[in-house]
Amino acid sequence: TTGWDYCVNPEQLGTTGWDYCVDPMYASGIFKFGTVSGADFELGYHWTSFNCSIQAKINNEGYVALAHETDNMNSIPPHLDAEQSLNYFKVYWDGDGAYPSPANGCGKCRLNINADACICPTKVKDEIVFTAQPASAEDIISSLYIGAIPPDIAGPSGTFISQPCDGFTVHFPQTSNGVYTRETIFELNHPYHGTKLFLKNTKSTVYLEGWEHATTILEAEDALPGGPSVPNLVLANETNRNRFSGAGYMHFEGAGQGYLEWIVSVPENIDATISFRYEDSWETTNVVDILVNDNVISPEGTKLGSTGNWDYWMDSESFLVPLNSGDNTIQLKYSDPWTGPRVDYLKIEWPTIPSSYSFRNAPHFMSLSQDYNDEGEGETTARDAYYETDAVLDHYHYHPNTAPFICIRLIQRLGISNPSPGHIEACADAFRTGTYSSGGQIFGSGDYGSLEAVTAAITLEPEATSAVLDADPGYGRIREPFLQPIQVLRSLEAELVPLEHHFELWELFDRLDQEPHRFKTVFSHFLPEYIPDVGPTIVPGYVSPESMVVNMPSIIAQLNGLMSLVRYGISDCFVDDGMSLGFGTYPGNGNCLDDGSMQRASAFFSYIPEATTTAGLVQELNTLLCAGRLSQASQDKIVDAYDSYSPAYDEAGAKLRFAYQLVMSTPEFHTSTTVKEDTTKSRPGPSISSSDAGINDYKALIFLFLSGGVDSFSMLPPHTCEGDLYEKYVDIRGGLSNETDPGIALPKQNLLEIPTNNPEHVCSSVGLHQNLQFIDELYKREDAIFVTNIGLLQFPATKEDYRDTNVRLFAHNAMQLETMREDLEGEKYGTGVLGRMKDKLSEAGFACNAYSIAGSQISLLGSPGVASSPIALSSNGMQKFIPQYEASWWTDGDLTPDLTPYILRLNNATAVDSSFMAETWSAKVSNAIYQHKKLYDDLEGDTVTANFKDASGRKSQLCKQLEMTARLMATHESRNAERDFFHVGIGGWDLHSKVIEGLESRFDDVNHCLKAFVEEAEHLGLWNNTVLLQFSEFGRTLNPNSGPEGDGTGKGCDHAWGGNQFIIGGGLKGGQVLGQYPLDFTENGPLVLSRGRIIPTTPWDAIWSGVAPWMGVSAEDMDHVLPMKKNFDSSALFTKDMFFNL
């Protein structure tokens, strides 16, 4: 008695109360009001007897949203309204995958008002799949998609008759007498992952229909009124009502025996469905007669119930009526003398016709009836959200690709960068079955995804344990930098000094580009598909993820840190010009002496070797530090060095420390491989290019990469344009970014308006983000160019063929890589666009160098052996390599000799069948040593005049990188450099939330750092010889997401494609905006995919076609530098003359 009757208004429980489950017109049936007002409980969903159908809304990409079509559109919520719904989901189209779309005219479906989707009637057909026993469990899995309630739950004992089969059980409803029906249930364990499944013998398919003719609306004001009392015409300016269509409506006020008559012409006999839209806010029921060709449709009359509220309109009951070829009359006649209804229009719906389009009916968990408040009066429940989330996670977890994907990543981390298919298969089988057998021992729980079984398969599979494979050049991996100091501390038995309770490895991230719990990006320390920039892995395409953080700064820091551990223990003793080069911190006391005393250490190596001979000692260290892989040639070199070393004192300790350092310098220590030395050749010396100064002028090209995907339509939105483009921009961005309208479109008053100076552009001016004032200044002095709607393109793409692009669109790692490579067709495999440019300029006689101040980058990589290798530098400056300890009061100085020649000898050239990974490490360490010495000397004492610090006195990563770039440019004469290529970049642009706030701070940083860099380049007299190009892997969706808070605030935008770009330089023909915006930002536009993802119209090749010739690349070499350039018409590419003042 305390419960609510949701059929009855609880505030009106008396005889006058409304029963929401009873039609007040007939006192039976179902509630029929179009709209209800009142308290929250009165505003929920109600049963209705109105005609209702489900339609499919299909966009240009074949995604489907549901739309409800009812006789009363007043009560359709936006998420179910055909014109407003954006709840698209993927479906699997039958046949050849074809579907109706705006791009192909929608077939017999109708185009929606926005012209960006097709609206189609639907029919759902549930069909039986198996009429006889299936051949196997695999057949069942591949054919059935609908789950079933387990038979023991679906009914009492005896409800089903079970028949065991090979690999599955068939449960027949008792009433089916053993005949296969749609209600038959198959019980089986999934053949792949073993999960118990119950599947219904049913296939549910959605078939699309269409209309031979579009729905016809005949306005009441256009009808012929008649009768003794004629209905009254009420025009829009004569009433406060506004929810009617057309110019007005007809009111049967005192119009007893009045009627409205429409003439309907059809070419042939046809059945059509007719209804009337009307309004009557009074709690009365009017009875009208409907006549077709003078024949009364319903002898009892048609009842028009109250619409419940003033100015709420609803459709009458609909009738299927025959229409004759030629003219037909349709009359609505009102017989009551009292005031009658208001009539808006006559609606005629023509028969639907079948189409050839269909798709498998997709499951969904969440009800489409939304809650009205937090108390949950609708049907949207947290329970269903949990169920759907679980189902999605299960789909990922049990997907056939999951096991091999995880196995590849884990095998890479645990020992082998390029695992064989057999190793991956063994690991995937262990993941799938939950068990792995080795040596008579079974590992794993037997459950799908058992990590015990997976770990056993990775570490015990013959590929991981066989010593024979050490001879395979492609086997093994480079060890990640963080592991080396951890290994030596364990293997050489690090011991705390008295009174110390722990030790700390300090700031490894800044030294090694790697540290636990600290990552440069969300993609961890390195990418699993990374191919090194030097060594023999390039040609076969072998990956070495760890090589991504193995470069000159990290190698020098790694060797300095390891040598510091040996000489001084964990301390801050290894110092150069105030910069600590070791892995430790100041413990609070002690002197820094390389004499074995470890006075300033918090911990030191306490290991005492057992060997009594030099060869035995080296073999012992080989086992401890290199897992026995140290080649005999390397052991011999270490033995010779050890025996010929005579320290001034502490002979035993000094020689042991010397041996430690030599072993830690070998490629076998830094990789998990073996080495074969090529004794017939030695590794080349310094790889920095040089030539006679003054032959060619100097030019610098800077590749600025903003990783994460910049929302560049906030950097450069339209301003004053054709076709109300700014207004369209505001609309698709969800409104303006202010307190009253929390969209992400930037208000015009907050933009820096700049003229395009391009008569072919759709905009006479565009807006620049207000935090990029310095770029605005550069543009005004003609030192900046903007390009609109540019991006990575393999060919001029359209909606019909964009999926043919040879890249995983909208994926960070893939599009970052390919933006730097600019070779989607793989013609110049393993090279980057700047590297190919450098190759051709080097062949032409230019002295070229390539520097990355942002880690190892493929953009700078050329073909092996053509030009000097790219050099990676730290934005924090350069460490001195293994400095000698000097103290005036300690006359004996440092006991350890200069290790450089020893390291180079231990990393000499290897044989062609030696380990690829070891050769990659040795090439990197040798190059690092040679490159470091030259650059360290060139940069020592060099300073800048511009202020790269922000208002707080700190330098951002971008400012540090650009400062280092300026310092290198200042040394071009001492380096005899004629062409320098630089890669700089920062992350943090992947703003899926709070995009407005995030861009403000990031653009502030870009603006400040570029201003300081330009000032320094001008001070050096090199600004006119410099060009900086800004890139990002993709733009972002124009349509925002809902934000993380659930209340519409903090919105972000997601991965898209085309965006906008800037180029700056003193020699530019600046002050112009090139490229083109699309004229339509909606999906109806020819270049716009869902959610405002724009297909670029200008390829990256266009930019390089103008810049490469300026750098000196000849016309004959352009196809090598830009292998995709041939796919574009010359009108789509820029020229040097368009970009530069010549």
Side-chain angles (χ1 to χ4, degrees):
T1 57
T2 59
W4 279 2
D5 182 348
Y6 280 93
C7 286
V8 179
N9 184 339
E11 293 184 356
Q12 300 183 24
L13 294 178
T15 56
T16 60
W18 288 344
D19 187 338
Y20 288 140
C21 293
V22 175
D23 188 328
M25 183 168 62
Y26 293 102
S28 63
I30 300 177
F31 175 77
K32 204 167 184 176
F33 282 168
T35 304
V36 180
S37 63
D40 284 344
F41 62 82
E42 296 178 284
L43 298 178
Y45 288 79
H46 301 283
W47 294 104
T48 177
S49 59
F50 283 114
N51 291 329
C52 177
S53 63
I54 296 179
Q55 299 177 338
K57 180 179 181 181
I58 304 111
N59 67 10
N60 274 306
E61 296 177 73
Y63 284 67
V64 171
L66 296 183
H68 284 194
E69 173 74 20
T70 75
D71 286 346
N72 176 15
M73 295 303 291
N74 286 329
S75 59
I76 295 296
H79 68 284
L80 293 174
D81 179 51
E83 298 299 337
Q84 301 182 66
S85 175
L86 294 174
N87 290 331
Y88 287 107
F89 54 90
K90 182 178 181 178
V91 301
Y92 294 90
W93 293 93
D94 293 332
D96 61 359
Y99 55 86
S101 69
N104 61 30
C106 287
K108 294 298 183 180
C109 301
R110 72 172 176 87
L111 192 65
N112 70 335
I113 292 174
N114 291 329
D116 59 6
C118 302
I119 311 297
C120 305
T122 63
K123 277 190 177 179
V124 177
K125 188 175 181 180
D126 292 340
E127 303 166 279
I128 186 172
V129 178
F130 293 105
T131 57
Q133 180 177 314
S136 65
E138 286 77 8
D139 283 350
I140 297 173
I141 290 296
S142 62
S143 303
L144 300 183
Y145 300 96
I146 300 175
I149 297 174
D152 60 340
I153 298 175
S157 177
T159 303
F160 287 84
I161 300 173
S162 301
Q163 176 182 313
C165 301
D166 185 15
F168 58 92
T169 298
V170 185
H171 300 282
F172 296 99
Q174 188 179 42
T175 55
S176 71
N177 297 318
V179 176
Y180 284 84
T181 69
R182 289 192 290 112
E183 304 306 318
T184 302
I185 297 174
F186 293 94
E187 176 184 351
L188 69 158
N189 293 326
H190 195 287
Y192 180 74
H193 48 71
T195 303
K196 174 75 72 176
L197 297 177
F198 294 91
L199 297 173
K200 194 174 181 181
N201 188 28
T202 301
K203 176 184 179 183
S204 184
T205 304
V206 178
Y207 293 91
L208 300 189
E209 297 185 325
W211 295 277
E212 192 67 45
H213 307 287
T215 297
T216 301
I217 301 295
L218 299 177
E219 297 290 342
E221 60 269 27
D222 296 331
L224 175 66
S229 300
V230 178
N232 303 301
L233 171 63
V234 181
L235 297 174
N237 61 354
E238 298 172 346
T239 178
N240 290 327
R241 288 172 169 80
N242 55 32
R243 297 185 179 182
F244 52 85
S245 66
Y249 57 84
M250 300 298 290
H251 188 191
F252 282 85
E253 183 177 9
Q257 304 303 315
Y259 65 83
L260 296 173
E261 182 176 283
W262 291 266
I263 305 296
V264 180
S265 298
V266 295
E268 57 187 2
N269 295 346
I270 190 171
D271 291 338
T273 301
I274 65 171
S275 60
F276 299 89
R277 188 169 188 258
Y278 73 96
E279 185 256 280
D280 189 351
S281 61
W282 297 99
E283 297 177 20
T284 59
T285 296
N286 292 295
V287 180
V288 298
D289 290 320
I290 299 175
L291 296 84
V292 176
N293 295 326
D294 297 327
N295 296 313
V296 177
I297 298 302
S298 176
E300 298 83 14
T302 299
K303 296 180 180 181
L304 303 180
S306 170
T307 54
N309 276 286
W310 185 84
D311 201 24
Y312 281 98
W313 302 74
M314 60 192 297
D315 285 2
S316 71
E317 183 180 358
S318 58
F319 298 92
L320 183 65
V321 300
L323 298 179
N324 302 321
S325 174
D327 291 341
N328 297 263
T329 61
I330 299 178
Q331 276 190 6
L332 185 150
K333 182 181 292 185
Y334 180 61
S335 302
D336 199 297
W338 298 97
T339 297
R342 297 163 181 82
V343 179
D344 188 10
Y345 56 67
L346 162 67
K347 178 167 68 174
I348 306 175
E349 297 174 283
W350 307 100
T352 59
I353 56 175
S355 75
S356 59
Y357 304 116
S358 63
F359 57 85
R360 177 162 64 85
N361 202 356
H364 72 92
F365 291 78
M366 298 297 294
S367 170
L368 295 174
S369 298
Q370 292 177 318
D371 286 350
Y372 277 86
N373 60 29
D374 293 337
E375 296 178 3
E377 270 134 18
E379 298 176 13
T380 303
T381 65
R383 177 203 64 184
D384 292 341
Y386 292 139
Y387 286 165
E388 183 165 351
T389 302
D390 283 343
V392 170
L393 293 177
D394 282 346
H395 177 75
Y396 290 144
H397 183 55
Y398 292 116
H399 194 283
N401 288 346
T402 298
F405 175 86
I406 290 176
C407 284
I408 292 172
R409 298 295 183 264
L410 290 179
I411 295 172
Q412 285 184 320
R413 295 280 54 76
L414 297 176
I416 305 171
S417 292
N418 298 275
S420 72
H423 197 177
I424 297 168
E425 182 180 13
C427 174
D429 285 343
F431 188 101
R432 179 177 61 82
T433 62
T435 61
Y436 180 80
S437 177
S438 177
Q441 179 73 35
I442 297 178
F443 299 88
S445 63
D447 297 325
Y448 178 87
S450 168
L451 287 183
E452 178 185 336
V454 168
T455 304
I458 292 173
T459 56
L460 300 178
E461 183 69 10
E463 183 171 340
T465 59
S466 174
V468 174
L469 288 175
D470 285 341
D472 181 352
Y475 186 73
R477 67 165 179 156
I478 291 178
R479 299 170 65 202
E480 48 195 296
F482 174 72
L483 294 182
Q484 282 90 318
I486 298 300
Q487 182 199 355
V488 297
L489 289 169
R490 287 175 172 172
S491 298
L492 301 181
E493 300 177 3
E495 180 179 311
L496 291 168
V497 301
L499 303 181
E500 289 290 337
H501 302 287
H502 73 282
F503 59 81
E504 182 177 4
L505 299 179
W506 186 249
E507 294 183 348
L508 295 184
F509 187 79
D510 293 336
R511 292 166 169 78
L512 306 182
D513 272 348
Q514 190 184 27
E515 183 178 328
H517 316 301
R518 287 188 68 183
F519 306 92
K520 279 189 173 181
T521 74
V522 295
F523 302 109
S524 189
H525 304 290
F526 29 72
L527 298 177
E529 65 272 14
Y530 181 76
I531 299 175
D533 52 3
V534 298
T537 62
I538 298 173
V539 175
Y542 278 28
V543 303
S544 175
E546 297 81 4
S547 292
M548 194 168 181
V549 292
V550 176
N551 48 52
M552 184 178 74
S554 69
I555 288 172
I556 298 301
Q558 177 78 289
L559 293 175
N560 281 342
L562 291 172
M563 305 317 164
S564 174
L565 288 177
V566 174
R567 300 181 196 183
Y568 309 108
I570 297 178
S571 71
D572 66 336
C573 282
F574 226 30
V575 178
D576 175 50
D577 194 22
M579 178 186 294
S580 176
L581 309 184
F583 292 149
T585 58
Y586 175 51
N589 55 72
N591 295 314
C592 292
L593 303 174
D594 179 19
D595 63 354
S597 63
M598 307 292 168
Q599 293 183 27
R600 202 177 173 93
S602 57
F604 61 92
F605 298 144
S606 65
Y607 180 75
I608 300 175
E610 297 178 357
T612 57
T613 65
T614 303
L617 171 65
V618 174
Q619 184 58 50
E620 191 172 330
L621 295 180
N622 175 24
T623 302
L624 283 173
L625 301 180
C626 301
R629 290 186 297 267
L630 196 61
S631 70
Q632 190 59 51
S634 293
Q635 292 184 54
D636 292 343
K637 291 178 183 179
I638 296 173
V639 168
D640 291 343
Y642 183 95
D643 288 341
S644 60
Y645 171 49
S646 299
Y649 59 93
D650 186 32
E651 181 173 359
K655 296 187 75 167
L656 179 60
R657 294 193 299 275
F658 182 48
Y660 286 164
Q661 294 174 80
L662 292 178
V663 175
M664 292 178 195
S665 303
T666 63
E668 292 94 334
F669 174 74
H670 292 276
T671 69
S672 62
T673 63
T674 59
V675 176
K676 294 181 181 180
E677 184 180 7
D678 186 345
T679 58
T680 65
K681 62 182 180 181
S682 59
R683 196 173 297 284
S687 59
I688 298 180
S689 298
S690 62
S691 69
D692 296 330
I695 295 179
N696 299 297
D697 59 347
Y698 174 76
K699 289 182 179 178
L701 190 158
I702 303 163
F703 185 102
L704 168 60
F705 198 83
L706 307 180
S707 63
V710 176
D711 180 23
S712 51
F713 273 90
S714 286
M715 180 181 77
L716 196 76
H719 192 281
T720 304
C721 312
E722 300 174 14
D724 298 324
L725 195 59
Y726 176 78
E727 288 72 21
K728 294 176 182 176
Y729 155 81
V730 172
D731 183 60
I732 196 167
R733 303 233 88 178
L736 296 172
S737 56
N738 53 45
E739 293 181 359
T740 59
D741 191 5
I744 60 170
L746 300 179
K748 276 190 176 181
Q749 62 268 24
N750 293 350
L751 296 172
L752 303 170
E753 184 179 6
I754 59 175
T756 59
N757 298 320
N758 180 357
E760 297 181 0
H761 205 280
V762 298
C763 297
S764 58
S765 67
V766 293
L768 182 62
H769 195 282
Q770 62 182 352
N771 291 37
L772 295 173
Q773 301 96 331
F774 181 69
I775 299 181
D776 177 52
E777 177 185 325
L778 291 178
Y779 187 87
K780 289 175 179 176
R781 70 190 211 194
E782 299 186 354
D783 282 355
I785 292 173
F786 290 99
V787 185
T788 53
N789 197 25
I790 189 171
L792 177 66
L793 281 174
Q794 182 179 353
F795 50 81
T798 65
K799 284 185 176 180
E800 287 70 37
D801 62 10
Y802 77 92
R803 289 186 178 92
D804 297 334
T805 303
N806 189 28
V807 68
R808 282 177 291 139
L809 291 171
F810 322 124
H812 285 294
N813 54 346
M815 295 194 73
Q816 286 177 6
L817 175 69
E818 298 303 340
T819 294
M820 297 178 194
R821 289 184 64 247
E822 263 293 278
D823 181 23
L824 286 173
E825 294 167 357
E827 294 186 20
K828 313 297 177 185
Y829 188 79
T831 64
V833 61
L834 300 182
R836 295 192 297 271
M837 203 180 303
K838 178 168 65 71
D839 283 352
K840 287 303 177 184
L841 290 174
S842 297
E843 290 177 343
F846 290 89
C848 301
N849 292 297
Y851 303 94
S852 173
I853 326 295
S856 301
Q857 300 293 344
I858 196 172
S859 61
L860 300 170
L861 190 60
S863 298
V866 176
S868 60
S869 299
I871 301 170
L873 294 170
S874 171
S875 60
N876 294 318
M878 297 186 67
Q879 292 188 13
K880 189 173 183 179
F881 180 47
I882 311 181
Q884 298 292 307
Y885 183 79
E886 296 176 359
S888 58
W889 58 272
W890 187 251
T891 56
D892 292 311
D894 198 329
L895 287 177
T896 304
D898 183 6
L899 291 176
T900 303
Y902 297 98
I903 295 174
L904 292 174
R905 281 198 293 272
L906 288 168
N907 287 275
N908 195 23
T910 61
V912 292
D913 59 343
S914 182
S915 163
F916 291 172
M917 300 302 164
E919 171 60 21
T920 297
W921 162 262
S922 292
K924 280 178 170 283
V925 72
S926 300
N927 285 343
I929 291 173
Y930 290 132
Q931 294 166 351
H932 179 274
K933 178 172 175 54
K934 172 65 175 171
L935 288 175
Y936 187 89
D937 293 342
D938 286 336
L939 292 173
E940 189 173 21
D942 181 68
T943 59
V944 296
T945 60
N947 181 20
F948 284 87
K949 296 179 180 179
D950 60 21
S952 67
R954 301 180 63 183
K955 295 178 188 175
S956 69
Q957 278 299 315
L958 179 59
C959 282
K960 289 180 180 179
Q961 291 181 35
L962 289 174
E963 180 182 24
M964 176 58 73
T965 300
R967 291 178 62 194
L968 285 165
M969 289 170 58
T971 67
H972 74 277
E973 290 183 348
S974 64
R975 294 183 289 111
N976 292 331
E978 296 169 335
R979 294 292 183 271
D980 276 339
F981 296 85
F982 299 95
H983 184 118
V984 299
I986 53 170
W989 298 89
D990 192 21
L991 296 173
H992 289 282
S993 62
K994 300 182 180 179
V995 64
I996 297 298
E997 303 91 326
L999 286 178
E1000 288 176 354
S1001 60
R1002 287 161 177 79
F1003 282 150
D1004 266 341
D1005 182 44
V1006 169
N1007 189 74
H1008 168 70
C1009 297
L1010 289 179
K1011 183 176 182 180
F1013 171 76
V1014 172
E1015 288 178 359
E1016 186 64 20
E1018 289 175 331
H1019 170 75
L1020 296 171
L1022 298 176
W1023 179 231
N1024 289 341
N1025 304 76
T1026 302
V1027 63
L1028 181 150
L1029 301 93
Q1030 170 261 316
F1031 290 88
S1032 194
E1033 62 262 42
F1034 46 60
R1036 304 194 78 83
T1037 56
L1038 295 179
N1039 183 250
N1041 55 40
S1042 58
E1045 308 300 332
D1047 58 0
T1049 62
K1051 292 178 180 176
C1053 43
D1054 305 315
H1055 302 183
W1057 196 351
N1060 306 316
Q1061 175 196 30
F1062 66 78
I1063 308 163
I1064 62 174
L1068 287 177
K1069 191 181 293 182
Q1072 56 178 329
V1073 177
L1074 303 175
Q1076 193 61 273
Y1077 286 134
L1079 276 171
D1080 189 346
F1081 289 139
T1082 70
E1083 288 183 46
N1084 189 44
L1087 297 171
V1088 184
L1089 307 174
S1090 61
R1091 295 197 56 216
R1093 292 176 293 147
I1094 301 177
I1095 299 173
T1097 46
T1098 300
W1100 294 133
D1101 295 76
I1103 297 293
W1104 296 119
S1105 294
V1107 172
W1110 177 78
M1111 287 292 287
V1113 177
S1114 66
E1116 296 77 26
D1117 290 332
M1118 287 297 290
D1119 285 341
H1120 177 90
V1121 173
L1122 302 175
M1124 298 187 297
K1125 173 177 171 285
K1126 61 182 181 296
N1127 298 338
F1128 299 93
D1129 187 81
S1130 60
S1131 61
L1133 306 174
F1134 303 138
T1135 65
K1136 181 173 70 171
D1137 294 348
M1138 295 173 66
F1139 270 11
F1140 295 96
N1141 295 308
L1142 304 178

